[in-house]
Amino acid sequence: EGLHGANKGIERVWRLIIDENNHVRDRVTTFNDGKLDKIYNETVKKVTEDYEAMRFNIAISQMMVFVNEAYKVDDLPVVYIEGLVKLLAPITPHLSEELWSLLGHEHTISYASFPTYDESKLVEDTVQIVLQVNGKVRSHAEVAVDMGKEDLEKLALADEKVQEFIEGKTVRKVIALPGKLVNIVAN
């Protein structure tokens, strides 16, 4: 069963990059719309750390997370695909060598530099906060990381689900903790 699962993962990587005619898919392109920036950089960082700590199963798992996300987008930046192939090379050297060759490289992948990640791509722009009424979670909201207390209060009071629970009540206090939650005390 373990071999079947491993083979399935390898086939999934192959199908992501190579079509039925053994050519690189048209969706592997030099265009980068930024949709995979964060997950790719997270993957490179995590896999690098996991290889150093000899946690190979965790590294493979993270690469499969990247592959799953890659299936969801229309364009696959060739630099990210090449990075994935380099990350896979220590685990699946034969597959990686074949993919490397099909991606147009004449020299072996063994001498290619290991991918590096961009720390700036790992920073979150948004955060999910909890909206509470009298200490009970009533809703969630995706907000900018740097949103101030006043804006958080306005957002919470304008939320439809929150309004259902404060309708007909007097708002006594609004407690806003940026990046975490907004609690509305009403009775």
Side-chain angles (χ1 to χ4, degrees):
E1 287 180 33
L3 288 176
H4 175 69
N7 187 51
K8 201 170 155 184
I10 289 170
E11 288 175 355
R12 192 159 163 72
V13 170
W14 182 269
R15 286 190 313 268
L16 175 70
I17 303 169
I18 306 298
D19 66 15
E20 309 77 41
N21 299 320
N22 281 347
H23 297 289
V24 176
R25 292 193 180 275
D26 292 339
R27 61 191 288 224
V28 177
T29 178
T30 56
F31 177 71
N32 184 0
D33 59 7
K35 291 180 181 175
L36 292 175
D37 286 352
K38 186 171 186 302
I39 189 67
Y40 173 77
N41 285 284
E42 283 176 349
T43 299
V44 172
K45 180 179 185 201
K46 183 107 176 74
V47 169
T48 302
E49 291 169 355
D50 290 337
Y51 279 169
E52 289 172 359
M54 297 191 354
R55 295 186 302 248
F56 302 115
N57 285 345
I58 298 170
I60 292 167
S61 174
Q62 180 61 40
M63 286 185 273
M64 289 301 107
V65 168
F66 174 77
V67 168
N68 289 339
E69 291 301 313
Y71 268 103
K72 296 176 186 176
V73 298
D74 295 328
D75 296 308
L76 300 172
V78 71
V79 67
Y80 290 172
I81 295 304
E82 288 176 346
L84 173 65
V85 172
K86 290 176 189 178
L87 291 173
L88 282 166
I91 304 293
T92 58
H94 297 93
L95 170 77
S96 299
E97 197 66 58
E98 184 65 21
L99 288 170
W100 192 248
S101 174
L102 289 169
L103 285 167
H105 298 278
E106 293 179 18
H107 301 289
T108 179
I109 195 171
S110 300
Y111 298 114
S113 60
F114 202 73
T116 57
Y117 59 93
D118 182 353
E119 196 72 50
S120 68
K121 303 280 186 185
L122 300 175
V123 178
E124 289 284 340
D125 295 336
T126 61
V127 65
Q128 188 177 53
I129 62 164
V130 174
L131 304 179
Q132 299 177 336
V133 176
N134 295 328
K136 294 183 181 174
V137 177
R138 300 303 182 187
S139 186
H140 294 85
E142 192 80 21
V143 299
V145 172
D146 56 355
M147 186 178 258
K149 287 184 177 185
E150 296 80 24
D151 293 331
L152 286 172
E153 289 175 13
K154 290 177 189 173
L155 177 106
L157 292 169
D159 187 86
E160 289 178 22
K161 291 179 185 174
V162 169
Q163 284 185 354
E164 290 176 22
F165 290 96
I166 62 173
E167 189 176 327
K169 296 179 180 178
T170 304
V171 174
R172 300 285 181 201
K173 191 175 189 181
V174 179
I175 304 164
L177 300 176
K180 296 190 188 300
L181 65 86
V182 177
N183 184 27
I184 299 168
V185 180
N187 59 5

